[in-house]
């Protein structure tokens, strides 16, 4: 950034100021995301506020015109998310102003985010680099076909003592320690782990979100293991709304999602500022775990 970002600006002749997101009425944040057709419930906003930090643009008459959040995982990396600007704020070109404040708060860290089509140009102007598409797969789930477990594998529900192994596996796939986030997710999710030779080698979590349930994160070393830990969730939620965000554009995992009634609904773009977020294609070891499904587009 070239210098400190102004703390206020005028929108529709009303002065709009930056406020801490924790000081804002959560119902107004919910109304903000509804105004741009985002699916987040009041409870989804509350979960994000408990884990992350953020700002909101509030005008003199109490309208919430925008928000931006960041989720630091360590001193080196953070994700940016929940960057929402009302049509009124967009029309005044204030998105860069709001993002300027967010970037000031995470200066010195490598950053990652998942950009909607509408926001991609803004992030490119701020120096973010495009890395990979994210496929938002969702719909009314259908009963999936039976699948055979991979050789030597068994699956079971997540237990409280699994946190350490899950966090270690996730760190290898994600590139940063998300132990605190995973601990909170475990308290609000139903999970499945795949065990081979007494060791957890894949896991998935599924929780209430938006219009129904979302599956994520999913971490596994290969498509077959990923399918094995997603399959129980697909069975449980057959006939109901289900969502999974993935970077897997093809292969057996993508085919499996289609057979579960989860077609591609939208595509966003993973972007980074600083060091690359995602592993360089071709350099990932054959047996190294990778992220098959995001926690959410805000958290990665």
């Amino acid at each position: 950034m070239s210098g400190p970002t102004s703390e206020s600006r005028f929108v529709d002749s009303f002065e709009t100021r930056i406020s801490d997101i924790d000081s804002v009425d959560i119902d107004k944040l919910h109304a903000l995301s509804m105004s741009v057709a985002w699916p987040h419930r009041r409870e989804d906003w509350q979960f994000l506020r408990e884990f992350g930090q953020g700002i909101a643009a509030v005008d003199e008459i109490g309208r919430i015109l925008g928000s931006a959040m960041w989720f630091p995982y360590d001193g080196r990396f953070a994700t940016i998310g929940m960057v929402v600007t009302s049509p009124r704020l967009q029309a005044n070109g204030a998105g860069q102003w709001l993002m300027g404040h967010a970037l000031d708060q995470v200066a010195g860290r490598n950053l990652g985010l998942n950009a909607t089509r509408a926001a991609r140009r803004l992030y490119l102007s701020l120096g973010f680099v495009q890395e990979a598409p994210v496929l938002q797969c969702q719909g009314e789930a259908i009963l999936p076909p039976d699948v055979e477990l991979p050789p030597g594998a068994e699956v079971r529900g997540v237990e409280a003592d699994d946190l350490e192994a899950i966090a270690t596996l996730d760190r290898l796939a994600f590139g940063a320690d998300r132990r605190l986030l995973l601990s909170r997710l475990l308290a609000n999710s139903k999970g499945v782990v795949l065990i081979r030779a007494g060791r957890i080698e894949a896991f998935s979590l599924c929780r209430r979100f938006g219009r129904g349930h979302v599956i994520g994160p999913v971490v596994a070393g290969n498509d077959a293991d990923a399918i094995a830990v997603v399959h129980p969730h697909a069975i449980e939620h057959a006939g109901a709304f289900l969502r999974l965000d993935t970077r897997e554009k093809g292969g057996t995992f993508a085919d499996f999602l289609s057979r579960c009634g989860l077609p591609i609904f939208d595509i966003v773009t993973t972007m980074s500022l600083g060091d690359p977020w995602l592993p360089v294609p071709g350099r990932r070891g054959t047996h190294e775990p990778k992220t098959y499904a995001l926690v959410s587009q805000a958290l990665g």
Side-chain angles (χ1 to χ4, degrees):
M1 303 298 294
S2 59
T5 308
S6 171
E7 289 293 332
S8 67
R9 64 182 296 139
F10 282 88
V11 178
D12 290 351
S13 300
F14 291 103
E15 186 175 23
T16 301
R17 292 188 173 276
I18 294 294
S19 298
D20 188 287
I21 204 163
D22 288 333
S23 69
V24 175
D25 187 310
I26 199 163
D27 289 324
K28 292 185 177 181
L29 291 172
H30 183 217
L32 173 67
S33 56
M34 289 179 64
S35 74
V36 293
W38 284 20
H40 298 71
R41 304 169 302 149
R42 185 182 186 279
E43 293 84 353
D44 300 323
W45 271 104
Q46 185 59 39
F47 177 84
L48 292 166
R49 289 206 307 185
E50 289 172 358
F51 179 70
Q53 303 168 52
I55 53 175
V58 184
D59 73 7
E60 293 176 86
I61 57 176
R63 295 178 300 185
I64 309 300
L65 302 183
S67 67
M69 296 192 70
W70 53 94
F71 306 91
Y73 293 108
D74 53 34
R76 297 177 294 108
F77 180 75
T79 59
I80 300 286
M82 301 310 293
V83 181
V84 187
T85 51
S86 70
R88 184 178 293 105
L89 195 65
Q90 293 170 18
N92 283 270
Q96 193 155 8
W97 169 67
L98 192 64
M99 273 298 296
H101 280 281
L103 294 180
D104 287 345
Q105 298 301 316
V106 289
R109 286 186 169 93
N110 297 311
L111 302 175
L113 56 78
N114 293 298
T116 63
R117 289 184 180 89
R120 199 177 306 153
R121 182 178 296 179
L122 167 63
Y123 298 133
L124 287 171
S125 74
L126 294 169
F128 282 83
V129 175
Q130 300 183 84
E131 292 199 15
V134 176
L135 312 179
Q136 181 179 321
C137 302
Q138 65 182 50
E140 183 176 309
I142 60 177
L143 193 66
D146 292 336
V147 297
E148 291 187 9
L149 284 178
E154 60 178 303
V155 296
R156 62 163 172 79
V158 168
E159 299 172 356
D161 292 343
D162 293 333
L163 175 60
E164 181 66 30
I166 285 174
T168 299
L169 197 66
D170 181 76
R171 184 172 65 251
L172 292 172
F174 185 77
D177 191 345
R178 299 197 291 181
R179 186 182 313 270
L180 179 58
L181 172 61
L182 290 166
S183 177
R184 294 187 181 186
L185 285 171
L186 285 173
N188 295 281
S189 305
K190 189 168 185 177
V192 176
V193 294
L194 179 144
I195 299 172
R196 188 178 282 113
R199 185 176 67 178
I200 292 176
E201 294 192 352
F203 75 90
S204 67
L205 299 179
C206 182
R207 69 189 189 281
R208 282 279 293 124
F209 175 82
R211 294 171 55 190
H213 283 76
V214 63
I215 301 173
V218 176
V219 173
N222 55 65
D223 283 18
D225 286 1
I227 290 169
V229 294
V230 169
H231 188 259
H233 300 306
I235 291 175
E236 180 173 356
H237 297 292
F241 184 85
L242 191 61
R243 172 175 168 175
L244 185 150
D245 296 348
T246 183
R247 298 188 183 95
E248 299 300 304
K249 301 186 292 295
T252 56
F253 184 76
D255 291 343
F256 171 75
L257 295 181
S258 295
R259 296 200 304 272
C260 291
L262 304 183
I264 298 171
F265 172 76
D266 195 12
I267 300 176
V268 300
T269 304
T270 293
M271 305 181 75
S272 61
L273 182 65
D275 291 343
W277 179 6
L278 305 180
V280 177
R283 294 187 183 177
R284 178 180 173 272
T286 305
H287 301 293
E288 290 181 11
K290 67 176 179 178
T291 300
Y292 275 84
L294 284 60
V295 175
S296 72
Q297 291 179 15
L299 296 166

